[in-house]
Amino acid sequence: MLSDTQQRLTAWGHWVRAGGVDLGIKGVNLAVGSSVAMPICPDDDALAVDNAIARLKRRDPVMGRVLTLAYLNQFSLARIARESGEGSRERVRYLLGGAEAWIDAVLHGMQS
């Protein structure tokens, strides 16, 4: 399901910001100075997402950049439109939806 992939992308973004591979962290981690649980995915899951994103960036660099700005940098659609030069939030929403669907298909294809 696409919502599962969006959750995996969110967890991947946290994983990358936390330093990536070799953290030895599984499950959920608390944000520094916070009682809010942040999803941290296992290294193997994060690497699968990272590999799918790398493939997307080779196939469609614009979609790859939009996806990275959304999930790694946590930018709003308006800010992504400005940073990427894609014009409007609607265009960015369209590109992000396509990127998420592409990642979803790749990740589910890997599980088969």
Side-chain angles (χ1 to χ4, degrees):
M1 302 213 26
L2 190 55
S3 64
D4 293 336
T5 297
Q6 290 167 330
Q7 290 175 350
R8 289 175 77 180
L9 285 164
T10 299
W12 166 83
H14 290 299
W15 177 83
V16 172
R17 287 189 301 279
V21 75
D22 294 329
L23 295 177
I25 298 172
K26 303 287 185 204
V28 174
N29 195 17
L30 292 179
V32 175
S34 173
S35 61
V36 177
M38 293 173 48
I40 300 291
C41 55
D43 289 344
D44 57 342
D45 192 42
L47 289 170
V49 172
D50 200 61
N51 181 48
I53 292 169
R55 289 177 59 190
L56 174 63
K57 286 180 174 181
R58 284 191 304 271
R59 183 183 180 278
D60 191 319
V62 173
M63 277 190 182
R65 178 156 166 73
V66 166
L67 188 81
T68 302
L69 290 171
Y71 286 98
L72 183 57
N73 298 93
Q74 298 181 310
F75 288 173
S76 67
L77 294 176
R79 183 157 182 200
I80 295 169
R82 284 192 310 273
E83 295 282 332
S84 67
E86 287 305 312
S88 69
R89 289 182 308 187
E90 291 75 23
R91 170 86 175 135
V92 168
R93 184 179 296 116
Y94 171 79
L95 290 168
L96 182 58
E100 290 167 341
W102 196 90
I103 295 293
D104 184 66
V106 169
L107 292 176
H108 284 87
M110 294 172 124
Q111 293 174 352
S112 298

